[in-house]
Amino acid sequence: MPRFLLIVDDREDLRVGFHRYFIRFFDEVLVASDPASAEELLSRSVNAPTHVVCDYWFGEEHPVGASVLPAWRRRYPSIVKAALVSGSEVAELPATEGIDAVFEKPVDLKSLRAFLIGQ
């Protein structure tokens, strides 16, 4: 089964690093800098993402990742796994339906990969 990953993070260095790492394990890796850009990719992507890694905080002008991930899971049934990454204290984030796991930054990429695809 093909695997398509969407990475949503406002930091360009993290988007580039995640893309470089995960392109070896996914058939396609898309990146977006904020929820609106991600929504655009989700709505027009030929290959609907099967996995999503989303930052928690994008700034005051954007909704937090903990609110957009559940909405995307409802709207895009192709998403089988969704992870939230946060520079905030992970223990302070509420449990939310539609989010399968929360990872604290800096993210251990091998652990994130193991969660996403079991390798």
Side-chain angles (χ1 to χ4, degrees), residues 61-100:
E61 65 279 5
H62 299 285
V64 295
S67 68
V68 296
L69 269 179
W72 292 340
R73 294 289 294 271
R74 287 188 298 273
R75 222 169 327 160
Y76 303 101
S78 63
I79 301 172
V80 295
K81 287 218 176 162
L84 190 67
V85 294
S86 178
S88 305
E89 288 293 322
V90 173
E92 295 176 10
L93 298 178
T96 304
E97 187 176 330
I99 298 172
D100 300 310

Side-chain angles (χ1 to χ4, degrees), residues 26-87:
F26 285 84
D27 297 292
E28 183 177 19
V29 176
L30 301 170
V31 295
S33 60
D34 58 52
S37 301
E39 186 74 43
E40 184 178 325
L41 284 173
L42 283 164
S43 67
R44 67 178 173 86
S45 179
V46 173
N47 300 317
T50 55
H51 299 73
V52 178
V53 173
C54 184
D55 192 13
Y56 178 78
W57 183 252
F58 296 97
E60 292 286 334
E61 65 279 5
H62 299 285
V64 295
S67 68
V68 296
L69 269 179
W72 292 340
R73 294 289 294 271
R74 287 188 298 273
R75 222 169 327 160
Y76 303 101
S78 63
I79 301 172
V80 295
K81 287 218 176 162
L84 190 67
V85 294
S86 178

Side-chain angles (χ1 to χ4, degrees), residues 12 25 46 77 94 103 111 116:
E12 183 177 7
F25 306 101
V46 173
F103 290 84
S111 296
L116 291 171

